[in-house]
C-alpha cells in the first residue's frame, strides 16, 4: 500500500525529484504524505549536490488536494510538529483541535516549504485541486501540461478557500473571486495568461521541459539562487502576502466553527470527497 511510503524520492544529477505517490487516491494529501514531503524536501536541501527540486505526481493527476475521505485519512493521528511550535491537536476539542492541526500540516508546512533555499519547480499534469494549489504555489516555478486543470471548490464547504490563501497574489483579485465564487475549473492556458504558470506544454513534453529548465537553473551559483529566491519572496511579503494569508486563515477557521455549530457538528459543512466530486460533476453538466 502506497500509504506506507506516499512520496517517492530520486536524484538525477543536480536535480531531486519528489513525487506524490498515492495514485489510487489521486495523490490526495493525508498527514503521512505531508510529513513524507517534509522529509524529502529536507533531504534535498541538505544534499549539497542537489541544486534544484522538482515536485510532481505519479499517476493520472498531480493531486486532488487534501484527503477528506480515503481509507488513509489520518487527521486524528498525532505527529511531531515540524512547522509550528504549538500543542498536539489530538487531545484538544473543537476549534482548538482544528486550528492546531491546520496551522501545522497546512499553513505552517506551506510557509516552511516556501522558504526552502533551493529553486523548486512544480511539474503539474491532470488535476491540481484545492490543497494541490497550495503545493504548486509554494514552488518557485510552475510548468503545466496542456491537460492540466486547477480549481478551489472549498467554498462549497462554506469556507473562503484553502488555508494557504494566496489566490489574489497568484491569480489577481478578479480571477481569484471568479474561481472561488463559482468553484469552476480553469485551464493551464488560463493560468498561464494571468501569470500563475510559467509554461504550458503538451503532456508528452512535460517531463523533458522541466528537466531542461532544471538543468539551466542548476548551472547558476547556488548561494546566488538562494539569495534571489529570498529577495523575491520578501517582495511578495511586502505586497501583503503573509498578512493576507494570516487574515484568511482566521476566517477559514471561523467558517469551520460556524459549520460545526449549524451542521450537527460537521466542520466541513456536510461535504466529503464524494459529495464534493458529485457537486462538481453536477455543476460541470449544467
Amino acid at each position: 500500500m502506497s500509504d506506507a511510503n506516499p512520496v517517492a524520492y530520486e536524484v538525477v544529477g543536480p536535480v531531486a525529484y519528489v513525487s506524490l505517490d498515492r495514485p489510487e487516491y489521486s495523490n490526495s494529501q493525508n498527514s503521512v504524505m505531508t510529513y513524507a514531503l517534509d522529509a524529502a524536501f529536507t533531504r534535498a536541501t541538505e544534499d549539497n549536490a542537489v541544486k534544484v527540486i522538482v515536485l510532481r505526481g505519479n499517476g493520472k493527476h498531480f493531486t486532488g488536494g487534501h484527503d477528506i475521505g480515503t481509507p488513509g485519512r489520518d487527521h486524528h493521528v498525532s505527529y511531531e510538529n515540524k512547522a509550528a511550535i504549538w500543542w498536539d491537536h489530538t487531545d484538544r476539542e473543537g476549534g482548538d483541535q482544528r486550528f492546531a492541526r491546520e496551522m501545522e500540516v497546512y499553513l505552517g508546512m506551506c510557509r516552511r516549504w516556501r522558504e526552502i533555499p533551493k529553486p523548486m519547480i512544480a511539474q503539474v499534469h491532470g488535476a491540481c485541486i484545492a490543497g494541490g494549489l497550495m503545493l504548486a504555489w509554494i514552488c518557485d516555478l510552475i510548468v503545466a501540461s496542456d491537460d492540466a486543470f486547477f480549481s478551489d471548490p472549498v467554498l462549497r464547504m462554506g469556507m473562503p478557500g484553502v488555508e494557504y490563501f494566496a489566490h489574489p497574489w497568484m491569480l489577481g483579485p478578479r480571477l481569484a473571486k471568479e474561481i472561488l465564487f463559482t468553484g469552476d475549473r480553469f485551464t493551464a492556458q488560463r493560468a498561464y495568461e494571468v501569470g500563475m504558470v510559467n509554461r504550458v506544454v503538451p503532456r508528452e513534453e512535460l517531463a523533458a521541459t522541466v528537466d531542461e529548465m532544471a538543468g539551466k537553473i542548476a548551472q547558476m551559483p547556488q548561494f546566488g539562487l538562494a539569495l534571489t529566491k529570498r529577495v523575491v519572496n520578501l517582495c511578495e511579503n511586502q505586497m501583503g502576502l503573509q498578512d493576507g494569508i494570516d487574515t484568511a486563515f482566521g476566517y477559514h477557521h471561523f467558517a469551520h466553527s460556524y459549520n460545526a455549530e449549524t451542521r450537527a457538528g460537521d466542520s466541513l459543512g456536510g461535504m466529503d470527497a464524494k459529495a464534493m466530486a458529485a457537486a462538481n460533476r453536477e455543476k460541470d453538466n449544467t
Side-chain angles (χ1 to χ4, degrees), residues 23-47:
E24 67 274 37
Y25 300 119
S26 300
N27 293 324
S28 60
Q29 306 155 34
N30 56 9
S31 294
V32 172
M33 176 179 280
T34 297
Y35 287 98
L37 279 172
D38 189 68
F41 292 148
T42 300
R43 181 178 176 184
T45 301
E46 294 177 348
D47 184 345

Side-chain angles (χ1 to χ4, degrees), residues 85-98:
I85 299 177
W86 206 262
W87 45 73
D88 182 74
H89 71 283
T90 56
D91 60 354
R92 301 285 169 157
E93 295 180 342
D96 185 355
Q97 180 187 75
R98 290 188 296 270

Side-chain angles (χ1 to χ4, degrees), residues 108-147:
M109 282 296 189
C110 282
R111 283 184 162 162
R112 172 176 165 88
W113 298 338
R114 178 175 175 260
E115 298 303 320
I116 290 170
K118 295 183 178 181
M120 295 178 64
I121 303 173
Q123 178 179 312
V124 179
H125 72 284
C128 180
I129 298 173
L133 290 173
M134 293 167 54
L135 285 186
W137 286 344
I138 58 95
C139 293
D140 304 295
L141 305 174
I142 303 174
V143 180
S145 61
D146 53 9
D147 66 344

Side-chain angles (χ1 to χ4, degrees), residues 16 41 53 96 120 123 144-145 150 232 248 251 253 273 276:
F41 292 148
I53 302 168
D96 185 355
M120 295 178 64
Q123 178 179 312
S145 61
F150 307 85
V232 176
Y251 281 107
H253 278 274
M276 290 284 281

